[in-house]
Amino acid sequence: MTRLVVAPGVVHWPGYLGPEAQAALVADLRVVAARAPFFQPRMPKTGKPFSVRMTNCGALGWVSDETGYRYQPLHPATGEPWPPMPDVLTQAWRDLAGYPHEPEACLVNFYAADARMGLHQDRDEQDFDAPVLSLSLGDTAVFRIGGTQRGGKTVSLKLASGDALIFGGEARLAYHGIDRILAGSSALLPQGGRINLTLRRVTRPVA
Ligand code: MD3
Ligand code: FE
C-alpha cells in the first residue's frame, strides 16, 4: 500500500479501500442515512446554509446552526441517537490512526457537483492529540491544505474514491478545505457526487 507523506503530520493512502470495500461502505452508509437523514447545516449567527449536506454515525455527531458549531449525541431533526459506526470504519481507524482510543464521531459530508467547503480549522474537539482520519468515496475532490495561520501558503491535492488521509501532530490544526468536485470522475455513486467521512475523537480519553 502506497503511503505518501504530504506534509508533516499529513499521510495519504491512495486507494486504501478497494472497489469492493468502497461499494460495501456505500451500502452501510445508505443504512446510516435511512436512520439519520442528511441535513443542511447552517452558519453560526447568519444562518447561511452550507452547500455540503451532512449526517453522522458513532456516539457523537457534529452539527452547526445559528447558535454555533458543536458535537451532540442526537440528530438535530429526528432527536434520535446517531447510528453506530460501521465496522469497516472502526477497523480503518485501528489500522491507520496510531491512536490507542476508539473514534467517537464520524461526520459524513455529501458534496453535489457544485458543493464546496471553505478553508477552516477543525477545533470543536477537546482532544487535539488524536488525529482526524478522512475517507473519500465517489467523485474526486480538489483538497487544499495550509498551515495553522490563515493566509499562509497552501498545497493542493486530489482526493479520489477509496483514498485515506490522516491529519495528526502539527497538521491537526491546519487550515483546509475543498475547492471543487470533479463531476463524473467516479461511477461509485450512481447519481454522482462525493462522500467524505471524517473519523474523530471528541473528548479527552480518561486514561
Ligand atoms: C486537516 N472535510 O469535515 S477531509 C471537515 O473532504 C472537512 O469533506 C473535508 O474538512 C471533506 O471538517 C476535508 C480532510 C480533513 C479533515 C479534517 C482535518 C483534513 C483535516 C482536520 C485537521 C486538519
Ligand atoms: Fe475540516
Side-chain angles (χ1 to χ4, degrees):
M1 175 90 39
T2 314
R3 180 183 182 282
L4 302 166
V5 178
V6 175
V10 184
V11 186
H12 183 198
W13 285 267
Y16 173 74
L17 297 175
E20 291 183 6
Q22 292 173 43
L25 181 50
V26 170
D28 288 343
L29 293 173
R30 291 193 194 286
V31 176
V32 166
R35 275 180 60 183
F38 280 93
F39 59 91
Q40 190 165 34
R42 301 183 302 278
M43 287 298 289
K45 299 199 181 92
T46 65
K48 183 182 190 290
F50 285 42
S51 61
V52 179
R53 286 186 291 144
M54 298 181 175
T55 188
N56 292 271
C57 53
L60 291 170
W62 189 87
V63 301
S64 180
D65 62 19
E66 283 79 352
T67 67
Y69 306 134
R70 63 196 174 273
Y71 284 91
Q72 61 181 46
L74 305 178
H75 189 287
T78 69
E80 295 290 322
W82 304 105
M85 252 187 244
D87 283 337
V88 55
L89 298 181
T90 320
Q91 288 302 337
W93 176 271
R94 290 179 190 152
D95 187 24
L96 301 178
Y99 189 77
H101 301 279
E102 298 286 297
E104 296 175 295
C106 175
L107 173 60
V108 184
N109 293 333
F110 177 76
Y111 295 78
D114 59 355
R116 308 264 184 281
M117 191 178 284
L119 280 180
H120 66 278
Q121 289 176 300
D122 289 22
R123 44 189 312 164
D124 301 320
E125 302 77 22
Q126 290 149 19
D127 183 6
F128 296 138
D129 293 338
V132 174
L133 170 61
S134 150
L135 294 169
S136 293
L137 295 169
D139 287 335
T140 297
V142 181
F143 171 73
R144 180 186 296 276
I145 183 164
T148 55
Q149 310 276 19
R150 196 178 270 289
K153 135 177 178 303
T154 61
V155 295
S156 186
L157 188 72
K158 280 184 185 172
L159 295 179
S161 197
D163 289 7
L165 198 59
I166 200 146
F167 302 83
E170 65 182 81
R172 178 64 184 75
L173 289 171
Y175 277 88
H176 60 278
I178 295 292
D179 288 342
R180 69 188 198 99
I181 303 300
L182 304 181
S185 50
S186 163
L188 181 70
L189 303 174
Q191 318 271 40
R194 168 174 186 263
I195 295 171
N196 181 263
L197 309 168
T198 45
L199 280 74
R200 301 144 185 269
R201 185 78 207 174
V202 177
T203 65
R204 297 200 127 279
V206 178

